[in-house]
Amino acid sequence: MIGRNDPCSCGSGQKYKKCCAGKSDIPVAQLVDEELERILTGVYDLESDPKSAAEFESYVNTWKSRLIGFFDEETIEISVSEYFLFVARDDLWKRYLLKVLNSRIRSATRSVVESWQTPIVLFGTVKDDWNGFVEVEEILGENTYYLEIEDEMRFDIGSNVFGVVLPDDRNHPNGLKTVTSLLFVLQGSETIKNNVIALAESSGIKQSGDFFKKHMLDIYKIIVDVVDSPLDEIIDNELSNAHRSVMDALVSGFETAEVDLEAQQLLKSIGVMYLLEEQPKFRKPNVISAGMFQAGIDLGIVRLSMTQVDTAQLFDVSVGAMAKHADTIAGFAIESLKKHNGVSMGPQIARSVGTDPLMTERVNWEMSVKLSRQDLDTLEEMQTYMTLTMNEPFQPKGKKEQAQMLIYDAYEADNDQVRYELAEKALLLDSKNPDVYLIQAEQTEVDREAEQLYKTAIEYANSRYEVLEENPWGLVTNRPYMRALFAYGVWLFNKKRYDEAGRIFDDLLDMNPNDNQGTRYLAISSFIATEDYEGAESLLGDYEEDSETDAAFLYLRWYLEASMSEGESENLDWMFEEAMEENPFVAEMLGTDDSRPLYPKHLDCDSGSVSEATYILSLLH
């Protein structure tokens, strides 16, 4: 047992009573983190030291003269601080660390601080992320580094990353610690990389450390110039021919519909970011263009009184094909507008399947409630209000609104226990909220009780449902009813009660032919299970035009052919090969002995991914 006056076992050199006494419950790693953070923070006092303050201020003024207008003053000063202390005047940093190393610090802290004596300017490409790390490959060097993912870190695969970091091998041999913040840039990343490489080659400076010391501000300016370049220039230089066709069709639609220039510019920006980040697969560019246009209408960016049918006709595509992309693009736009700082792109948004609400529903519901509180006489007034208040925080009024807010929190929760607890709180505020019963039903193990809860949810949701001649899905307050029907149908499907499930899915497709919920494939699978091959063939035919590159469609087409012919059809081989081209993982997973996964509550699945394969397997019984 360590005495209070004995040397502390952490290696700090201090007596136990003045070091770790009373901290026995705190992990040593946490204490080391806190000590390292204090050491790192302490260096910034050097900026105000009279000997270096004037030089630092000179750098600040120079950087502001070149970067102001794109970065705010605070961001520029943070960037200058990193450059000044760790690059331009790294001698100040090294002298500061020498004092730290001569003081009493923990041995675990000491080994990290010793590695910090050589800061790194990281300019690289994000290659992957896994196990809590971002893998970054240097552009002007040959090293691959690993950044621990922090809470506020926003990055995309393929982004350039730029900033000052410190070696930290505690969790990875090539691990790095961020000093304050890093710049992640996806837009124009290839152009930025090529321009910096060209600058390095023309400078004649062989050591990357020396190059960054002389040209760090120039690199920031290259980034600013590329990201802030005219939109048309980005379209010409960064987009593929197919993606430029999408933007050409969108612009043509703007001209025909006489969309105002401000709305055109904003929606074009969103469209370009969507194409660069998501790289959507399509055969007809007009389908994506129509989805962008409709997303603009849904979000109030395009201020025109047009139905989905009008948009589809404008771009000469089917309503179903257009609507499938509009929700995804609207969700992408919402996330991008929230973080609209011109540099950092949001996380990738994959195709969402499952019984949970789409990510756009919460925002649409909040806007619907806001509008219901206003006395707006014209469509133009309504759209102006929506545009101006899109990013204002929503404040619920009354118990029903508070309950629905809790419900959306529940659907976004990380685990089932939190999800259930939030639903219970919502129940106390609104005992007839249908989503409460859906969440209770999904966590009930007794089939009889679960089924009754689903039926209760449908009953309460139906009482709030408004019958519309046009697609009722467009009215956000109708979605709980359609969600309740869908969730009950999925429950029946997972219980292999395919006949009952198929009838519900068929009814939902009659209500919502655009199929925003992803009902069609469940309906087709149910029909195959009950040997209603005519019904399955009919549905496949209805959606064939929109689904030529959709792996789920292609595997179900093959599955129907195999079921009808009892495996004897001559078409099976080429059908299976076409499906495999879109997602090879399904074929691999079909050969295992694992049981079929249940249809998910929520799953984001990119085309050709393992997650998409899991979703497809849930459709094959």
Side-chain angles (χ1 to χ4, degrees):
M1 182 175 178
I2 302 175
R4 287 177 54 77
N5 290 311
D6 292 339
C8 188
S9 59
C10 75
S12 67
Q14 299 183 64
K15 291 182 179 180
Y16 177 64
K17 66 183 180 182
K18 291 187 177 181
C19 188
C20 290
K23 300 179 182 178
S24 56
D25 293 335
I26 303 176
V28 173
Q30 181 180 333
L31 295 172
V32 171
D33 279 337
E34 292 172 355
E35 192 166 33
L36 288 170
E37 202 58 45
R38 286 195 297 272
I39 291 168
L40 190 54
T41 304
V43 73
Y44 290 97
D45 292 338
L46 297 177
E47 293 172 359
S48 56
D49 186 291
K51 296 178 182 178
S52 52
E55 186 180 359
F56 172 72
E57 194 61 33
S58 174
Y59 278 115
V60 170
N61 292 334
T62 300
W63 283 48
K64 282 183 179 179
S65 69
R66 296 186 67 185
L67 301 178
I68 202 69
F70 188 84
F71 294 116
D72 58 47
E73 290 193 14
E74 182 181 359
T75 301
I76 293 172
E77 288 182 8
I78 290 171
S79 300
V80 175
S81 293
E82 288 187 351
Y83 172 71
F84 181 71
L85 293 169
F86 299 96
V87 183
R89 292 297 310 275
D90 57 337
D91 58 305
L92 297 175
W93 167 245
K94 290 175 180 177
R95 284 205 298 269
Y96 169 71
L97 285 191
L98 188 61
K99 291 180 182 178
V100 170
L101 290 168
N102 286 328
S103 65
R104 290 180 173 179
I105 55 175
R106 292 175 174 82
S107 56
T109 305
R110 183 177 299 278
S111 64
V112 176
V113 171
E114 285 172 349
S115 72
W116 280 5
Q117 294 180 80
T118 307
I120 297 169
V121 177
L122 182 63
F123 178 59
T125 302
V126 175
K127 306 301 288 186
D128 203 355
D129 68 283
W130 54 275
N131 292 340
F133 287 95
V134 180
E135 181 182 320
V136 180
E137 187 178 279
E138 276 190 315
I139 290 173
L140 298 181
E142 299 180 354
N143 291 317
T144 298
Y145 293 111
Y146 295 85
L147 290 160
E148 285 195 59
I149 298 175
E150 300 171 0
D151 289 342
E152 299 302 316
M153 191 176 281
R154 297 277 186 264
F155 63 89
D156 298 275
I157 306 302
S159 297
N160 292 148
V161 56
F162 185 51
V164 178
V165 291
L166 296 169
D168 188 349
D169 63 2
R170 288 176 295 165
N171 295 317
H172 194 285
N174 266 21
L176 297 175
K177 177 178 177 60
T178 304
V179 172
T180 51
S181 62
L182 288 169
L183 190 62
F184 289 90
V185 187
L186 181 62
Q187 181 179 321
S189 57
E190 195 65 23
T191 302
I192 291 168
K193 181 177 83 170
N194 292 336
N195 288 353
V196 173
I197 290 173
L199 176 63
E201 291 175 349
S202 65
S203 72
I205 302 174
K206 294 182 178 180
Q207 296 295 325
S208 61
D210 294 336
F211 170 72
F212 289 125
K213 181 173 287 191
K214 184 173 182 180
H215 292 290
M216 196 155 180
L217 174 56
D218 295 325
I219 296 171
Y220 274 111
K221 191 66 171 64
I222 286 172
I223 293 170
V224 167
D225 289 343
V226 171
V227 175
D228 204 32
S229 60
L231 193 59
D232 290 338
E233 190 175 314
I234 295 171
I235 291 172
D236 290 339
N237 295 332
E238 298 292 327
L239 297 186
S240 65
N241 290 335
H243 287 169
R244 281 197 291 274
S245 297
V246 171
M247 298 309 297
D248 289 343
L250 180 63
V251 171
S252 178
F254 287 153
E255 293 171 353
T256 303
E258 297 182 352
V259 176
D260 69 81
L261 291 176
E262 184 179 355
Q264 286 190 37
Q265 194 69 6
L266 178 53
L267 195 54
K268 279 173 66 178
S269 298
I270 292 168
V272 168
M273 288 192 291
Y274 177 73
L275 293 170
L276 286 171
E277 292 194 41
E278 299 305 308
Q279 296 293 319
K281 296 172 69 176
F282 54 86
R283 295 176 76 91
K284 297 179 180 179
N286 283 28
V287 171
I288 305 296
S289 311
M292 291 176 180
F293 194 94
Q294 185 60 42
I297 291 174
D298 293 342
L299 295 170
I301 296 170
V302 176
R303 304 175 186 181
L304 297 174
S305 179
M306 291 177 62
T307 66
Q308 290 188 339
V309 173
D310 295 333
T311 302
Q313 290 176 347
L314 175 64
F315 288 90
D316 192 24
V317 298
S318 70
V319 174
M322 177 270 297
K324 184 172 69 172
H325 294 285
D327 263 334
T328 302
I329 296 169
F332 177 88
I334 288 166
E335 291 301 307
S336 297
L337 288 170
K338 285 180 179 177
K339 298 184 287 291
H340 190 55
N341 56 16
V343 178
S344 179
M345 303 299 183
Q348 292 186 2
I349 297 177
R351 170 190 183 185
S352 293
V353 298
T355 53
D356 283 358
L358 294 173
M359 64 173 296
T360 54
E361 182 177 317
R362 181 176 194 150
V363 175
N364 290 340
W365 174 77
E366 290 176 359
M367 187 59 72
S368 173
V369 174
K370 286 181 182 179
L371 286 170
S372 69
R373 298 173 184 167
Q374 306 301 312
D375 185 19
L376 303 174
D377 297 324
T378 66
L379 179 64
E380 184 175 338
E381 287 179 353
M382 181 186 76
Q383 290 171 328
T384 300
Y385 174 79
M386 289 171 66
T387 303
L388 293 174
T389 61
M390 181 182 296
N391 291 320
E392 289 183 3
F394 175 73
Q395 299 296 331
K397 294 181 180 179
K399 292 184 177 181
K400 287 187 176 182
E401 289 181 12
Q402 292 173 31
Q404 194 61 41
M405 286 286 285
L406 286 170
I407 285 298
Y408 287 126
D409 289 341
Y411 281 126
E412 295 168 7
D414 292 333
N415 63 71
D416 287 342
Q417 183 60 34
V418 174
R419 183 179 176 110
Y420 183 80
E421 289 171 358
L422 288 168
E424 288 292 288
K425 291 180 181 178
L427 179 63
L428 297 175
L429 293 167
D430 181 6
S431 62
K432 293 186 177 181
N433 184 297
D435 284 294
V436 168
Y437 298 95
L438 292 182
I439 292 173
Q440 288 180 337
E442 69 188 24
Q443 301 195 37
T444 302
E445 296 182 358
V446 180
D447 286 357
R448 186 178 64 255
E449 293 177 5
E451 187 162 12
Q452 184 54 54
L453 287 165
Y454 280 117
K455 289 180 177 179
T456 301
I458 291 169
E459 178 186 348
Y460 287 145
N462 189 34
S463 67
R464 305 179 183 189
Y465 179 76
E466 184 176 339
V467 179
L468 297 175
E469 289 185 14
E470 202 172 320
N471 190 352
W473 179 262
L475 188 62
V476 71
T477 49
N478 278 342
R479 295 187 188 180
Y481 176 59
M482 301 172 79
R483 176 162 55 253
L485 286 173
F486 185 64
Y488 180 44
V490 167
W491 183 81
L492 291 168
F493 182 87
N494 285 334
K495 294 296 178 182
K496 300 184 179 181
R497 291 164 60 176
Y498 299 117
D499 188 52
E500 298 164 87
R503 287 197 295 271
I504 290 175
F505 297 141
D506 204 28
D507 288 344
L508 279 169
L509 287 172
D510 285 341
M511 295 167 62
N512 179 18
N514 297 341
D515 192 22
N516 303 81
Q517 293 173 282
T519 308
R520 67 183 80 167
Y521 295 145
L522 283 160
I524 292 167
S525 182
S526 298
F527 292 157
I528 295 172
T530 57
E531 299 184 6
D532 180 3
Y533 300 137
E534 185 178 342
E537 274 190 304
S538 177
L539 268 184
L540 280 168
D542 288 345
Y543 293 103
E544 184 172 9
E545 182 184 351
D546 312 336
S547 311
E548 294 166 324
T549 60
D550 189 333
F553 174 89
L554 296 173
Y555 274 105
L556 279 171
R557 184 182 65 174
W558 161 79
Y559 187 51
L560 173 62
E561 185 75 9
S563 300
M564 287 193 300
S565 68
E566 297 183 349
E568 299 297 325
S569 172
E570 295 179 356
N571 298 321
L572 292 179
D573 286 346
W574 69 262
M575 284 184 170
F576 195 71
E577 286 176 8
E578 279 199 359
M580 280 183 62
E581 285 180 12
E582 300 303 327
N583 193 313
F585 297 108
V586 178
E588 293 177 17
M589 295 162 76
L590 275 172
T592 69
D593 295 328
D594 297 338
S595 59
R596 173 176 66 83
L598 297 180
Y599 192 85
K601 289 183 289 190
H602 176 84
L603 186 66
D604 290 329
C605 44
D606 291 310
S607 297
S609 66
V610 173
S611 57
E612 182 190 53
T614 302
Y615 155 63
I616 293 169
L617 283 173
S618 74
L619 301 169
L620 307 178
H621 22 74

